[in-house]
Amino acid sequence: MRIKDAQEGLEQFNRRIASAGGLVIVCFVLLFGRFFWLQVIQHDYYKTRAEDNRISLVPIVPNRGLIVDRNGEVLARNYSAYTLEITPSQVSDLEATIDALAEFITIEPKDRKRFRKLMEESKRFESLPIRTRLTDEEVAKFIARRYRFRGVDIKARLFRQYPKGAFASHVLGYIGRVTDRDLERIAENDQEANYRGTDYFGKSGLEQHYEFELHGQTGFEQVEVDAGGRAVRTLSRVAPVPGNNLTLTLDAKLQEVAEQAFGDRRGALIAIEPSTGGVLALVSVPNYDPNLFVDGISAADWQALNEAADKPMVNRALNGAYPPGSTFKPFMALAALHYGKRRPEQAIMDPGGFNFGGHFFRDDKKGGHGMVDMYKSIVVSCDTYYYLLANDMGIDAIAAFMGPLGLGSKTGIDIEGESEGVLPSPAWKKKRFKKPEQQKWYAGETISIGIGQGYNAYTPIQLAQAVATLANDGVMFRPHLVKYITDTKTGEKRFIEPQPIRKLPWKQEHIDVIKRAMIGVTKEGTGARAFAGAEYVAAGKTGTAQVFSYKGAEHKTETMKAQLRDHALFIAFAPADQPKIALAVLVENGGFGAQAAAPIARQVLDYYLLGKLPKGMAPTDEAAVEADPE
Amino acid sequence: MSVRRYWQMLVAPLDGPLFGFSVLLLILATVALASAAPERLSAHWLNLGVALAVMRIVAQVPPQRLMHIALPIYVLGLLLLIAVALFGDVSKGARRWLSLGFMRIQPSELMKIAMPLMLAWYFQKREGLLVWRDWFIATLLLVMPVALIARQPDLGTAVLVFAAGFYVIFLAGLSWKVMLGLLGLAAAAAPFAWNLLHDYQRQRVLMLLDPQQDPLGKGFHIIQSMIAIGSGGLFGKGWGQGTQSQLDFIPERHTDFIFAVWSEEFGLTGNAALLILYLLLIGRGLQIALAAPTLFTRLLAGALTLIFFTYAFVNMGMVSGILPVVGVPLPFVSYGGTALVTLGIAMGILMSIQKNRMLVQK
């Protein structure tokens, strides 16, 4: 019975295979019929269509979105310029053609070099620029001789322009030619079709972070081209949609005041609106001119920027990690109140330092400050008070308090590549070092942490966020630069909602103690000189961060001394009772915070709160024009 | 004489005809790729090496061992698909990949082999005892992974995996009446399925009905590949001379649309050669299925051969504009490592079945 079943099963299987074989043959005959139809019967039609494919689909690159400040001042725009372009596949002798063109149009060796590079990167049938930004005269000269040059044409292309030059360059960033890495990002976002014909891609700053907002939608034009590859007429057209515009929280004038206040010093400043996290100014000086990158930066310029001793390409505000120095003290004091380690009126006797385990931690005032309570410890910036406090609190409590304040972690601002800095703790040390003897945390190390030295290293934007959080009574916001994005298609404004990250569990009475002391700093303390005669009440704290060593970095002898000078810091917010602005200032190798950093903060606050411009700065652009005698 | 001996040594564990046809197809693929995307040739050589090595290794695995791993592989595949649905990587709006940290895997690819293995194993277990409940269980085994893949969404792979499993059930002898009934049911359910489709999938289907409706967008690709095929004529424009392909009118010209390049440059003659080569390979596969010693090997060999046929038919059908555009490669010809390895495994299994038939008979 079973055997018969098996035999039957086998026969059925064979029949099924036969039917499947039949299906295969039918399908292949069908395919062959289709090919026959296309390739023999319809051949003439398709042959013509293939030739018509000299009818080509030309992408129309959209206008890149504008970047304007909170008052509508344009910081990045586009302009159209004529370029001389060659389609290599249509030119028989490229070198001869370029030579012939060079007889009446200036073509420099660097233009040829760039063209050859473009050719390697692109496809043969693409039209590539050999010269950009032709003058009207050059355009006329070429048009007159055009018939001689097959595969050469003049096109209008859009170029990015940063009208204020080297201004806020670390915020705006720059664009550059699309690289393989950019192509990956384009592919990940499923934007390949939309980037046909697009040459540029945001490389840093807002240009990078908001690339897909700024780009817009590529349009297409179906054009008929003649045998020479020139467009004869347009058959159909899908208009491009310009990129979306960014309106920043940044105040360009404030940014300008801040940048000028630095003079030729190096450093960073971040001013934040405490109640929203909106960044009012983000300075990293020295700046560079993003216009240099627009149509491909020259090798010499690139080298100069990268090798400059003062490193203009480094975004100090987001990437520089510095010990906070004494600007750390208000937060230490707040931690002390929070954990009940100190009462405000509790005073210590400062003999001019603190002896721990045979090592004497010195105060900067010889002989000490005498009796010091919490208020005085901040106002006169007493180190001894904080040596003792740090020792009492212990490293774990310090780290546990500072971590949620954002110190030692990225703030999440809308610019990429932010650094984390270092929030020291035994766990951090264990991870950071390899050898067991280096991994151990020593109690002595905690002591210098208390005055913002030691392993402490934070980015200026972290300090700004921390002081803004304090100003805002413990509600912490994510710093952001874009206020809203305007959709150019619908005109709709998409606001970037302020994002409260967390509410820190601080008692208001504790916060008030710290705020009072910080007001004391600008009234009678280390910041009093910089804030003499201010028409508003500011709260601040000076800081001076020791530059310990420059391991591994080589320095010329003449710059050596300046490079070893301390970094000057200042954090502040104002008006103290209802803070509208909070800021952190850092001057690299500036010396004392009170001397170098606090005056910069004063100028910024004076302008933002009173509209008062520093001496020597033109009131506004319009006024400058009026003042110009004719 | 000595060349012949080397060939015999090389092919010893393999099935001569199957290996020969595969190699011919791979040569043809290399010719087409050298025209369509010469910059990918070096990667292509590596893919070929890996695929042939895999084929040879799998050809050494006796079918009894395949039977042992059928169930575990299927269960693993199913678990991976569930893992993808829960925490897979999203790319281009689809959740298809599972990130292992150092690499990303696409479990639906595994299912292409695991599905026929599993079903063939199941029918072998129930040989001679089949009742209607077994058909139901087999269908359930088929539908679960297919539904997971379709949900990703990856319609092309879902269709292929479904086909792979369906062929086993068909070859096992599911009654024609039931199949016709199911077909009717599917037709009746089509309007509901339409509503479940994603917008872009609907667009693809609509595009097939009238590619001209969106000549600048999605229909553009199909029109351009039809122009490429049609303008190829009887003998083609010659290798490297296809204007459609060389001027960038063909989308994905080295992967799913490579047939358009081949067709434009070698014409109807080249296409006929390709079709004959495929027919020979499929014929050999079916022959192996007919001669296979056990139900498991019969079903497996038959299903693998038919799935190979389905790849070829669907791809050429879509490129020439008679089937909707779904992401199915042209077997052995499209550029791409994963597809080559999957095919290498399938061919290896067929070869192993053929070789072991002779051993069993002795």
Side-chain angles (χ1 to χ4, degrees), chain A residues 36-67:
Chain A
F36 189 81
W37 168 257
L38 291 175
Q39 299 189 300
V40 177
I41 302 189
Q42 296 269 68
H43 173 62
D44 285 339
Y45 167 72
Y46 283 114
K47 197 179 153 195
T48 325
R49 292 277 317 253
E51 269 153 26
D52 278 355
N53 255 341
R54 309 192 188 272
I55 291 174
S56 56
L57 207 56
V58 180
I60 313 168
V61 179
N63 248 324
R64 200 171 168 86
L66 305 180
I67 303 179

Side-chain angles (χ1 to χ4, degrees), chain A residues 87-92 124-125 150-152 227-230:
Chain A
T87 310
S89 63
Q90 292 175 3
V91 175
S92 48
R124 282 166 296 162
F125 46 85
R150 188 174 182 270
V152 182
R230 276 192 198 100

Side-chain angles (χ1 to χ4, degrees), chain A residues 16 34 39 43 46 53 57, chain B residues 170 174 224 229-230 244 320:
Chain A
R16 288 283 160 111
R34 176 68 175 172
Q39 299 189 300
H43 173 62
Y46 283 114
N53 255 341
L57 207 56
Chain B
F170 166 76
L174 180 61
Q224 293 304 333
I229 297 172
Q244 286 289 105
S320 63

Side-chain angles (χ1 to χ4, degrees), chain B residues 285-304:
Chain B
L286 293 180
Q287 205 181 350
I288 290 173
L290 285 173
T294 61
L295 182 60
F296 172 72
T297 50
R298 280 201 297 274
L299 293 177
L300 189 58
L304 289 176

Side-chain angles (χ1 to χ4, degrees), chain B residues 11-12 42 51 84 91 95-96 100 107-108 137 145 154 158 166 180 225-226 241 248 251 280 307 312 335 352:
Chain B
V11 187
S42 46
V84 168
S91 166
R95 197 184 282 277
R96 296 176 187 170
L100 296 183
S108 51
I137 291 174
D154 187 350
F166 174 77
L180 283 176
S225 82
M226 275 164 59
Q241 304 295 311
D248 213 16
L280 287 171
I307 198 69
Y335 172 85
S352 144

